[in-house]
Amino acid sequence: MPVTDPHSVTAALHQRRSIRKFTGQPVDQALLRDIFAAAQRAPSGGNLQPWQATVLTGAPWAAVKDAVAARLAMGREGYQPEYDIYPKGLTDPWETRRFGVGEGLYAALGIPREDKAGRLAQFVENYRGFGAPVMLFLHCSRIMGPPQWSDMGMWLQSVMLLLVEAGLASCPQECWAMYGKTVRETLALGDDQILFTGLAIGYADEDAAVNQWPVPRVGLDEVIDWQGF
């Protein structure tokens, strides 16, 4: 579909990508309030609106990064997974897609497979939000099930597209759920909450190679089964 209106939903979908290097430019809270207010129009089953978000900048955001850095230093012993981010025993075609996007990322950065230290350093950038000045942590009550998690995803996509419309960028980061307990404790969330994901928010560094490499999408024939047309 050709994009003729630069302010259309189609344009926002084409422009949106997971940004992995942000500038340090602050984000105006009033702008974020407008975006979140508009995102409240996202659908949810039974109008439950199960999403809850904690949005951080400045010292509170730094406190989360510091707390998680201490867990990172513990290696695997520091893991506190809220849920399985990827299914156990992931098979093709999904495993190939997952592997391919990782290799594409490192290739864009010029980090070869044998450069373990370089790859680790890039991995750690996840837990700095890639330099984003704002981090949104999306969570919900533990009583919620898969349908409500689907609702959270629709809210999150709405936020990401609205950010594009406002000239902002984002990166959804489920990786924070690997240290869910530490994040929840630092945010003073009760044990009744489960952490779903983080969303780094800010202004993209447009010149960074990590923000320019092409991220492939499979063709329609791989995901759509047409019947009765």
Side-chain angles (χ1 to χ4, degrees):
M1 176 185 295
V3 181
T4 57
D5 181 355
H7 303 294
S8 66
V9 176
T10 301
L13 279 165
H14 279 277
Q15 293 167 28
R16 193 220 65 81
R17 66 176 293 145
S18 294
I19 293 300
R20 291 180 173 85
K21 188 173 182 182
F22 292 84
T23 71
Q25 182 179 347
V27 179
D28 182 59
Q29 184 187 24
L31 177 57
L32 291 176
R33 289 185 66 91
D34 288 344
I35 288 169
F36 298 143
Q40 284 300 109
R41 299 303 305 170
S44 60
N47 199 32
L48 295 189
Q49 303 167 68
W51 48 82
Q52 294 178 265
T54 302
V55 186
L56 311 173
T57 193
W61 173 208
V64 173
K65 286 184 281 188
D66 289 345
V68 170
R71 300 296 302 188
L72 274 166
M74 298 169 64
R76 291 186 177 274
E77 292 183 3
Y79 288 172
Q80 305 160 310
E82 296 280 83
Y83 58 90
D84 291 330
I85 294 176
Y86 300 106
K88 290 182 172 65
L90 191 65
T91 57
D92 277 338
W94 309 287
E95 178 63 16
T96 295
R97 294 173 191 167
R98 180 187 175 196
F99 178 81
V101 77
E103 288 304 300
L105 167 64
Y106 290 122
L109 292 169
I111 305 175
R113 176 174 289 276
E114 59 271 17
D115 184 359
K116 304 298 184 183
R119 291 195 170 202
L120 178 60
Q122 177 59 33
F123 173 76
V124 170
E125 283 300 308
N126 278 282
Y127 296 101
R128 296 171 181 153
F130 303 113
V134 174
M135 177 59 68
L136 179 154
F137 286 109
L138 184 58
H139 47 95
C140 70
S141 169
R142 289 187 184 275
I143 69 172
M144 299 301 175
Q148 289 75 50
W149 282 55
S150 170
D151 294 340
M152 285 197 292
M154 288 189 282
W155 181 84
L156 192 68
Q157 173 77 327
S158 299
V159 169
M160 290 190 287
L161 295 180
L162 289 163
L163 288 167
V164 171
E165 182 183 72
L168 288 159
S170 65
C171 185
Q173 295 185 277
E174 291 172 323
C175 64
W176 291 98
M178 290 300 298
Y179 301 95
K181 187 174 187 290
T182 291
V183 172
R184 286 187 285 103
E185 288 179 347
T186 309
L187 299 180
L189 299 178
D191 288 338
D192 63 312
Q193 294 288 298
I194 184 168
L195 178 66
F196 171 31
T197 188
L199 182 72
I201 298 173
Y203 292 92
D205 182 343
E206 302 290 355
D207 296 326
V210 73
N211 293 334
Q212 297 177 356
W213 61 284
V215 182
R217 293 294 190 266
V218 301
L220 288 185
D221 289 345
E222 293 189 51
V223 295
I224 303 293
D225 176 22
W226 300 96
Q227 297 188 14
F229 285 87

